[in-house]
Amino acid sequence: MTHDDFWRHVEGLIHAGAHANKPEPYRKRLAALLDGFDAHQVAWFLHHVNYRLSRLRTRGHWLAATLAFAGACDDEDFAAFRAWVIAHGRDAFDQVLANPDRAASLGIPLDRNGDPKPALNALAWTPGKIFDKKTRSDADTSSAIWKTIAADESTRHEEDFHVGWSYWEPVAPGELERDFPALWAAFGARYRDHLASSDYDDPLAGFVRSAEVKGLGQVNIGDTLVSRHDGTSFVVLGISDTAAIFGEDEYLGGDDFRYIARVQEEDGAIHSNQGLSGRHQRRPDDPDTGPPDEDDDGDMGSGVSDESMELDDAIRARVKAALGDDVRVIYEAYEYDDEDLPVDNLDQQAHKGRIRFVAEDPNDGETFESETLENPTWLDVARVANQMLIALNDHHHVYLEGFDIVKRPKGDAAIAEFSMGS
């Protein structure tokens, strides 16, 4: 698929009545278009979308999106904003690429509350979902397609994981008004109102260079964290003042830190974490600090005992063995005993009676509904949660923490929604 071919498809959607400001009708027309493509064509279309998302990935475009959203724009909003720009066609894309302030001329829509929402999740997410459906049972074909596409120099680009982290620096006074006069004229007042009602001086002030994290100690941007599960590591690219940590394609918060028990030193050696960052890790040859000592519970300062980690691993291994090859769900719906150790409840009844599970993808509105289950165990629930993740192609909200009954129709199965963490 050439660049001209791609734009012909995008502008064909416009001529067919698919408008970037009407997300659901746009999604349906886009899905109908891509359903008529073979897997190779869908992959090329997705690749062209990602290439243009990458070209709009600059601090200037992110600040324009922040202003267009009237004060808040995380990485998902930023992707949706860039997709919204692309959906307006080639001329609009070129203009906004050259000058982010030109986004104001595209007619930024308002949501039901009257707030600006220049977002089109469908163009960013639907092509990938349709490609996965077309190639789900043929991994070799999928791999061959992407290998061919990767060889095309004209559309080569970097991956688009959590791009916002790189731009979370404070906005200089007057920067938005100076650099984005059209957007400021349209949304500057809303932006100021957002600041007035915010806990922060500006929407970026919630992101810091360093934070104290329970179980890890002081963590700085640039540190390398290492998983106790598999030894994989990632570099910290962003930290919020609520101690959430962001990597290139990683997000950690809350209980996630139980599984990060070591950090990698600048010399490349890996040592058990003692509540210090990678830049301040105790060095084994340091006469003042020496090597880290084990805590009383034998966890080397991680805050989680080795026994707890082993039990957690054993529960997850049971889920993986029961679910087969394509396992996406990570089971965390277990409870803890009096010694704060995980309890394997997979064989316990999760619900008495009949129940169905429903879910909706917030990005493109696609829905999932399970078959009716009778007196399911927690392992049954995990199996259905995994089916849901596959059906919605969700690789992010994979931690199964439980479920909530949302409706109890008289004489029919209860309706439940999963509680999924990320």
Side-chain angles (χ1 to χ4, degrees):
M1 183 181 292
T2 66
H3 294 282
D4 289 340
D5 291 335
F6 171 75
W7 284 119
R8 187 169 60 253
H9 291 309
V10 170
E11 291 170 358
L13 287 168
I14 296 173
H15 296 318
H19 197 285
N21 290 349
K22 297 180 179 179
E24 183 57 21
Y26 190 98
R27 182 188 70 81
K28 291 180 178 179
R29 288 191 179 273
L30 175 62
L33 171 70
L34 298 180
D35 281 338
F37 288 0
D38 62 27
H40 197 273
Q41 291 173 306
V42 175
W44 268 110
F45 187 92
L46 171 60
H47 185 68
H48 276 280
V49 170
N50 289 337
Y51 168 68
R52 285 160 181 84
L53 289 173
S54 179
R55 295 195 68 194
L56 293 174
R57 188 180 63 195
T58 72
R59 175 174 169 79
H61 289 93
W62 179 66
L63 288 177
T66 299
L67 184 51
F69 277 102
C73 180
D74 62 18
D75 71 306
E76 291 185 0
D77 288 336
F78 189 32
F81 169 79
R82 289 174 289 153
W84 174 80
V85 171
I86 295 168
H88 280 84
R90 190 175 208 158
D91 289 344
F93 172 83
D94 288 342
Q95 291 176 25
V96 176
L97 177 64
N99 179 7
D101 195 39
R102 292 301 299 271
S105 68
L106 301 183
I108 293 176
L110 304 180
D111 64 16
R112 294 177 180 176
N113 297 320
D115 296 321
K117 192 171 184 180
L120 187 64
N121 287 308
L123 188 57
W125 295 95
T126 300
K129 287 194 169 189
I130 291 179
F131 177 78
D132 284 350
K133 289 179 179 178
K134 287 180 177 287
T135 61
R136 184 170 293 157
S137 60
D138 194 348
D140 291 339
T141 297
S142 176
S143 178
I145 289 173
W146 287 118
K147 186 176 181 179
T148 300
I149 291 175
D152 181 57
E153 293 285 347
S154 72
T155 55
R156 186 164 293 175
H157 61 275
E158 295 180 358
E159 294 296 326
D160 203 41
F161 293 117
H162 296 298
V163 296
W165 313 161
S166 302
Y167 306 121
W168 276 335
E169 297 287 347
V171 176
E175 180 179 1
L176 296 180
E177 186 173 4
R178 180 194 69 223
D179 293 346
F180 310 99
L183 285 168
W184 184 264
F187 303 109
R190 288 177 180 269
Y191 181 84
R192 287 192 296 267
D193 289 343
H194 173 84
L195 297 188
S197 62
S198 172
D199 293 333
Y200 306 122
D201 293 332
D202 66 67
L204 312 180
F207 297 90
V208 295
R209 308 297 300 180
S210 178
E212 184 75 18
V213 179
K214 183 179 180 181
L216 291 176
Q218 197 72 17
V219 176
N220 306 294
I221 289 180
D223 286 350
T224 302
L225 303 185
V226 183
S227 169
R228 283 190 66 168
H229 275 313
D230 55 16
T232 57
S233 63
F234 69 92
V235 176
V236 176
L237 300 181
I239 308 173
S240 79
D241 61 356
T242 57
I245 292 178
F246 308 94
E248 183 177 350
D249 58 353
E250 300 281 349
Y251 165 83
L252 297 177
D255 288 344
D256 293 335
F257 297 122
R258 292 184 298 157
Y259 310 114
I260 306 297
R262 297 178 294 172
V263 294
Q264 184 171 2
E265 288 199 296
E266 292 172 343
D267 63 5
I270 297 177
H271 305 282
S272 292
N273 177 48
Q274 275 288 303
L276 302 171
S277 77
R279 297 192 182 115
H280 304 91
Q281 175 75 30
R282 296 186 182 209
R283 307 184 72 88
D285 56 353
D286 189 325
D288 295 324
T289 61
D293 299 321
E294 289 195 14
D295 289 349
D296 292 338
D297 59 4
D299 69 1
M300 299 295 286
S302 70
V304 181
S305 71
D306 290 337
E307 184 179 3
S308 179
M309 295 293 294
E310 290 171 1
L311 290 169
D312 178 74
D313 288 342
I315 295 172
R316 294 187 181 185
R318 280 198 62 198
V319 173
K320 186 173 183 179
L323 268 54
D325 294 333
D326 192 358
V327 180
R328 303 188 188 183
V329 68
I330 298 177
Y331 187 75
E332 288 197 344
Y334 48 74
E335 297 181 351
Y336 292 86
D337 63 18
D338 293 339
E339 297 181 359
D340 203 28
L341 296 175
V343 176
D344 185 339
N345 63 344
L346 291 171
D347 296 325
Q348 295 178 14
Q349 188 178 94
H351 176 79
K352 184 177 180 179
R354 300 165 65 226
I355 187 171
R356 284 199 311 275
F357 291 90
V358 297
E360 179 177 349
D361 188 328
N363 292 310
D364 62 13
E366 188 171 353
T367 60
F368 167 85
E369 183 172 341
S370 76
E371 62 182 6
T372 299
L373 286 74
E374 184 94 28
N375 301 323
T377 66
W378 280 107
L379 183 57
D380 295 326
V381 174
R383 180 178 290 105
V384 175
N386 196 64
Q387 293 169 355
M388 177 270 296
L389 293 173
I390 293 172
L392 299 184
N393 195 31
D394 190 344
H395 296 271
H396 186 56
H397 305 92
V398 297
Y399 290 86
L400 174 60
E401 298 170 350
F403 62 86
D404 298 305
I405 304 295
V406 296
K407 192 174 182 180
R408 294 182 182 273
K410 187 175 182 180
D412 199 356
I415 306 299
E417 293 179 349
F418 294 109
S419 176
M420 306 296 294
S422 57

